[in-house]
Amino acid sequence: MAKGWRHIWLVFVVTGWLAGGSSSAFSELNTNQIKSAYLFQISKFVFWPEERKQFDHFNLCLLGPDTYQGNLQKMVGRTVFNKPVKFRAVNSLDDAQQCHLLVLSSAQRIKTSELTAWLKQHPVLTVADGAQSIDKAMVVFVLEEQRVRLHINIDLARLAGLSFAANLLEVASKIKKGGQ
Amino acid sequence: MSWLPRLHLRTKLIASIVITSVLAVMVSSVALVRYDRVQEVASVSEDMKILAGIVANRSTAALIFADARQAEANLKALGENPNVLMACIYDSGQQVFALHHFTHLDQKPCPENPKESDLSIDSTIEIYEPIELDGLPVGTLYMSLSLDWLNERWQQQLLFIVLVIFAVLMLSMVLAKYLQLLLLKPIQKITTTAREITEQQDYSLRAEKEVKDEIGDMADVFNGMLSKIEDETARLYASEEKFRQLATLSPVGIFQINLQHQITYVNSRWSEITGIHQPLANLEHWLGRIRSEDRRRTLKAWSALIQNHQEFVVEVGFEKHDEITWTIIEASVLHDGKGEVYGYMGAISDITDLKNAQLQMENLAFYDPLTGLSNRRLFQDRLNKAVAESKRRGTFVALLFLDLDQFKRINDSLGHDAGDQLLVETAQRLRDSVRETDTVSRIGGDEFTVLLSDVDSTHGVRHIADKILKNLCKPITLKKQTVINTVSIGITMSPTDANDANKLMRNADMAMYRAKAMGRNNFQFFSEDMNKEMMGYLEIEKDLRHSIEHNDEFIIYFQPKIDLLSYRFIGVEALIRWKPKGKDMIPPDRFIPIAEESGLIIPIGKFVFRQSLLQVRRLMDLGIWPEHAKMAVNLSARQFSDPNLIHDLNESIEMTGCPVEVIELEITESTLMDHVESAIFTMRKIKQMGITIAIDDFGTGYSSLSYLKRFPIDVLKVDRSFVMDIPNDVSDMEITAAVIAMAHKLNLRVVAEGIETKEQIDFLRSNRCEYGQGYLIARPMPADELEDYIQRPIQVGLLSL
């Protein structure tokens, strides 16, 4: 029950801020907080291959520096498709083979081709910041008009054997699909 | 609703079918529409709920990722349904996150405080759909849906219903029309038949039975009723015909009058009797014809009938050309089937003939039809009144009693017509002889009375009596023969002689007999002597009765008869002698008329006959009664007409055992002439018994030769009055000779009575009269002397003459 209340509180805070659209609210919630909340929500609109669902935990991994300022760790204790979230900071792609969601905090350091090849082997949702990261991350957080927006690379996701719920695609401000 | 029953059955039938059909359609339509509405709303609600679910689900990411534009875009999808008015998305803080109006008009803000998962249907359908993500609520979708379409649908349906109703209306009208034909046609046929019957009065018509349902039954019942009516009508007609026949043939006038006093029915006899022929005469008009004497009484009877229903019978006369038609009117009230009076019915009978007969009878009762004089009854009445009047006024009344002297002779010789004519003439002459105020009456065959009232002396009466005698003895021509008729009159006066009618009549009668005795054609006043004589008469009658009872005061004497040639004894005539006890002997000519008058002659005659036969029987037994000798017994007129005569004779003959051959009955000529035919009949019976019949006192009556020839007689006795005057009266001698000659012509033997002298015998012998009887021959003698007389040497005395 206590866990339920926390969820509500979070959603309440996020949506309340979104609906209000006021800068003051924005100031109250920093971008990292929003993004980490988004990460948790996004995982609900993503469909992993069946074998990933056999895992005991929902593995949230971070490759690179903690740009979320520890907010990611706060997701531990929640559940995604009834699996408790487990956070792990990984050092390499190889280390991230068992991850469901991999936050690339420094995407520019990872070669696209290497990542693409790796993703072909491992169905891992990659999330990064900045529009330029679209080739490496399947979900990219972009700040547009003072709001956190999503860019989605369906091609990459398909490559990794993942798919998105249509709802998520509808809210994405940019979708990369078919090489575009 | 009072107009409802007045509608035609046809209209009602059509209306009921049409209204029922339309109502059924309307009700079912409304129900269907209602159901459709509910179903539709439910269906739409369900659809929209699903749609809302989809949109809500779709809007999850937009809500989660605060993409209001996307949320609104999602909401627009709801616009697929044109009835959606607006849609809102609330975030988890129940703040409106996105909204969209689908209509430009009447844009409303999103409702505050969205409910969780609810559906409300009012003028709009409102749906609240929770938006959830991964089992957690993240917001709410609100959507409102207009029901205008439903109304439009309703309008379309209404139009359709109206069309359907119209179609149903048409269809039901056609159906009703057909049903009406089916149902009403048979009824109309019955109605038409009934109307035809009413118009044509033809009860033989019948309604056609077309169907076998209740209407068919009705036709059967109707026809049954018609048959009954036809029968009833036929019966009624027959009854009416019978009444008409009766009324037509009735000798009685029949009439019917309604409450307005109009004469509504009369038979022809009524018109004949009343003489009223115009058909619409009313009661008052008719009653106005009643003769005034009867009108008041009749009107009273009528008003009693009209007011109190009192039936009446009145005798009423109608005057017509100086003649009165006498009628009896009877009337009573007429009741209808409910007992209400609806008129009067009655009968009128013509009783004119009856009335006239009654008047005639009254006439007959008081007047003599032959002469027109008052009869005995009226005379008695007038006499009583006159006596009473004379007592009151102190005047005298004279009563004259008249008897015609020769009436019987004239009647017998010239016939009854002549007798009647004589009576009529006598009556006229009597009327001519008296004053207008005096009453002349015929009180018997040839007996008249004259009542003279208000007379002051016997002198006046004498004068009138003279006048009557004078007038009546004038010759009168009857059947071409001139006859002279005289009258004997007895007169009595009241109150001098008597003052009651009966006594006066007796007095006058006595006086009249005295006048007869005085030689007829005169009048005699009553005197006290006559009364005394009458008293003697009554005393004799009394003594006679006494003697008959005791039988010992009558003595039979026998006077012998002889043969005038041989002087031989040929028989006797039995003669009665009477010596009442303590009195002197009374001669037969004194008591015989009284016995005859009183009827006592019958027992006396019977006694004489029986005693005479006993004597003959005794003399025969003694052997002294000569052969061929006859015992002659007198038979009086009263005896002769006695119906028991033959029986009594036979009885005496049987009782005495006397042979009939010796018996001879002497009957006076006048007795036989009273009723010739019945006398002949009686004589024949006597003759048949074997008894000889002699006519006694011949010559005193008025025997016609033709009668004599028919009488079965054997002997004729010449009356002593003729013999008496021989030889002094030549005419008597001539008559005697003629009688003897005539008797011989008729083969009768003759007996001469009252022979007292030798000359008489000589004369009779010379005229060949067979037998003689008289003092010269022998006086009447008692039986014991007769015994000696017969045995004596015959006619010693006579021969010596």
Side-chain angles (χ1 to χ4, degrees), chain B residues 704-776:
Chain B
S704 84
L705 199 62
S706 60
Y707 288 156
L708 269 183
K709 276 168 80 177
R710 291 178 59 203
F711 287 166
I713 51 176
D714 308 284
V715 179
L716 201 148
K717 288 184 85 173
V718 180
D719 190 67
R720 66 177 70 243
S721 60
F722 295 107
V723 177
M724 198 166 64
D725 291 335
I726 296 171
N728 303 322
D729 192 318
V730 181
S731 86
D732 276 358
M733 287 168 74
E734 279 175 0
I735 289 169
T736 308
V739 166
I740 295 165
M742 181 200 72
H744 288 163
K745 288 264 185 220
L746 293 171
N747 290 321
L748 303 175
R749 283 155 290 149
V750 183
V751 178
E753 284 184 287
I755 300 172
E756 294 180 359
T757 63
K758 177 78 172 64
E759 288 81 5
Q760 287 164 353
I761 283 193
D762 289 343
F763 175 78
L764 293 166
R765 281 175 64 130
S766 66
N767 280 285
R768 294 169 52 209
C769 175
E770 281 89 349
Y771 310 121
Q773 180 185 349
Y775 284 182
L776 182 69

Side-chain angles (χ1 to χ4, degrees), chain A residues 7 11-12 14-16 18-19 38 41-42 44-45 81 147 149-150 167-168 170-171, chain B residues 57-58 60-67 69-70 74 91-93 97 133-134 136 138:
Chain A
H7 284 295
V11 172
F12 192 79
V14 172
T15 53
L18 282 169
Y38 272 19
Q41 297 297 349
I42 285 166
K44 293 179 180 173
F45 296 98
F81 43 85
R147 286 178 182 229
R149 291 286 174 191
L150 304 178
N167 289 357
L168 188 69
E170 279 176 0
V171 292
Chain B
N57 182 46
R58 198 171 157 187
T60 330
L63 196 58
I64 295 289
F65 299 106
D67 188 345
R69 274 181 306 158
Q70 183 56 45
N74 283 351
D91 60 21
S92 57
F97 174 65
L133 181 62
D134 204 16
L136 294 172
V138 293

